[in-house]
Amino acid sequence: MTFLECTRCGEQFSPERPNTVCPIDGGVLYARYNLSSIKKTFSRDALAQRAANMWRYAEVLPDAEPVTLGEGFTPLLSSRETRNVFIKDEGLNPTGSFKARGLSAAVSMAKRYKLEKLAIPSAGNAASALAAYAAAAHIEAHIFMPKDVPLANRIECDMYGAHVTLVDGLISDCARIVQERGKSAGWFDVSTLKEPFRVEGKKTLGYEVAEQLGWKLPDGIIYPTGGGVGLIGMWKAFDELEQLGWIGPERPHMIAVQSAGCAPISKAWDEGKDVSETWAKASTIAAGLRVPKAYGDYLILNILKKSGGVALSVTDSEILDAVRYWARVEGIFAAPEGAASLAAYRKLRDGGFFAPTDVVVLFNTGTGLKYLDVVGAGPSPTMKRPPARQIGGIIGPY
Ligand SMILES: [Zn+2]
């Protein structure tokens, strides 16, 4: 890692001390590496000997002793129904979601910087992941999440010994609290894209998809988008992979799927805007998609445009139908956020965006086991009914 670079103004910063966002314009900072030098000693063949976790790509990850629980290198499963469709099953990560990758990287660097207290606003799974990695690193975790997050997230954070505050509001309200109290409390804020290393962990999704498909990128990638770090990270990974000479200039169509109850990126895309507006009254059973405004919205929308992709939204009942369908047909019990990618794929196939033969990777971002209180409510054997318990905003009854 040579320097950190602002994605807005291009200003460079030293990674030798903790950084947040660009002090000039608030831009997200990207870690940059000397890839032409790394290229001489790091080859695709070298990977065969390495452990099956995300740190197999150590040369292009932050320079820190990894705080690892075995995250990454999750299966890329060919769909039983459509062989050229693949499901990247992130539910098999530590703490049951893709958030493990970003927090492993961020906590590893926090340990290197000797930070003692980390804080995070979270819609649910990032909280669990921070709590676990902070426990492993013997660092304090201060967690702020909506009071109606899935029960598993709350129990996990408690078990891992984190300091948890439940907030009567959304992740944006939690973020405000972290910002207001952070300085006096001595917390380092590991919010999505407000420090440079979660995106580095998440970018390993891109390295893995490339490696698992034999270094040929798919035609499309469908990514459930709340904060959008994985989508941003994968796009960064593809550029690095090309600079390493491991892939060519071809890129997949990048698809952002959101819930109709909180679809700021999809709305901005439809309106041809470069940034999104805050989504009012966000409400969806897919807790991780309940992000009223993503900090990296300008990056996400730019990637969609450059890749010839699209943003779209799906309803909660389409999501629940997809959860059940994947479980029955593929044997994968997906998180609602993850199942949204199947709902999106169906729409894009029906609409002719994807041909039946296109190779498409669908991201299941987490395991459905963390959402039993959300998807399992009610006695009905079919998910065609509206959800009995709507988690969202201030609606959730307790
Ligand atoms: Zn800047």
Side-chain angles (χ1 to χ4, degrees), residues 6 9 22 25:
C6 176
C9 68
C22 174
D25 54 19

